[in-house]
């Protein structure tokens, strides 16, 4: 359900090369911020999907419920010189469906050419985060 919903959001996307999506930990504040051009993550759709995840007990996150949550998930993207993602690392928050959803959404943004070119000759890491809130 989650992947098919996100696939529908990014129907006409393609990237020049496969992208590795991983879950991990990092010192997120040590990297420069990711610059996007126009299109943002589909946060309103993602909030609804998180609500479903929590209601169906796919994830149990301390202090969060399907009726009320405030979740911020950092992620890092290694951009190639062309501005397309080469690797994506989503913070380990203990909820695989949530981490997958964020990784796929970031991949969709990259596929649509939404990240600014780094100007570097090799891949460079950038970070951002997504906040998913239901009050």
């Amino acid at each position: 359900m989650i992947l098919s919903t996100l696939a529908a959001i990014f129907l006409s996307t393609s990237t020049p090369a496969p992208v590795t999506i991983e879950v991990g930990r990092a010192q997120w504040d040590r990297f420069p911020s990711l610059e996007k051009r126009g299109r943002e993550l589909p946060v309103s759709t993602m909030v609804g999907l998180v609500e479903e995840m929590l209601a169906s007990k796919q994830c149990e996150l301390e202090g969060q419920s399907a009726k009320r949550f405030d979740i911020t998930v950092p992620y890092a993207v290694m951009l190639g010189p062309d501005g397309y993602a080469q690797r994506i690392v989503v913070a380990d928050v203990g909820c695989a469906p949530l981490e997958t959803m964020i990784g796929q959404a970031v991949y969709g943004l990259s596929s649509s050419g939404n990240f600014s070119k780094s100007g570097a000759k090799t891949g460079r890491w950038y970070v951002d985060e997504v906040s998913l809130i239901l009050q």
Side-chain angles (χ1 to χ4, degrees), residues 66-83:
K67 302 282 184 207
R68 186 179 178 107
F69 54 84
D70 186 345
I71 303 167
T72 299
V73 182
Y75 61 88
V77 180
M78 178 185 275
L79 293 183
D82 58 2

Side-chain angles (χ1 to χ4, degrees), residues 7 17 45 47 82 128:
T45 300
V47 165
D82 58 2
D128 201 1

Side-chain angles (χ1 to χ4, degrees), residues 36-90:
K36 295 182 277 291
R37 298 185 284 194
R39 195 171 189 184
E40 294 289 328
L41 289 172
V43 173
S44 60
T45 300
M46 294 169 77
V47 165
L49 295 171
V50 170
E51 187 176 10
E52 289 176 26
M53 283 178 214
L54 295 172
S56 66
K57 303 288 187 206
Q58 293 177 54
C59 296
E60 292 188 24
L61 300 170
E62 187 175 334
Q64 312 299 324
S65 73
K67 302 282 184 207
R68 186 179 178 107
F69 54 84
D70 186 345
I71 303 167
T72 299
V73 182
Y75 61 88
V77 180
M78 178 185 275
L79 293 183
D82 58 2
Y84 288 98
Q86 295 175 332
R87 287 178 62 194
I88 298 168
V89 178
V90 178

Side-chain angles (χ1 to χ4, degrees), residues 5 16 23-24 37 57 61 88 94 106 108 114-115:
T5 301
V23 174
R37 298 185 284 194
K57 303 288 187 206
L61 300 170
I88 298 168
V106 172
N114 199 57
F115 299 143

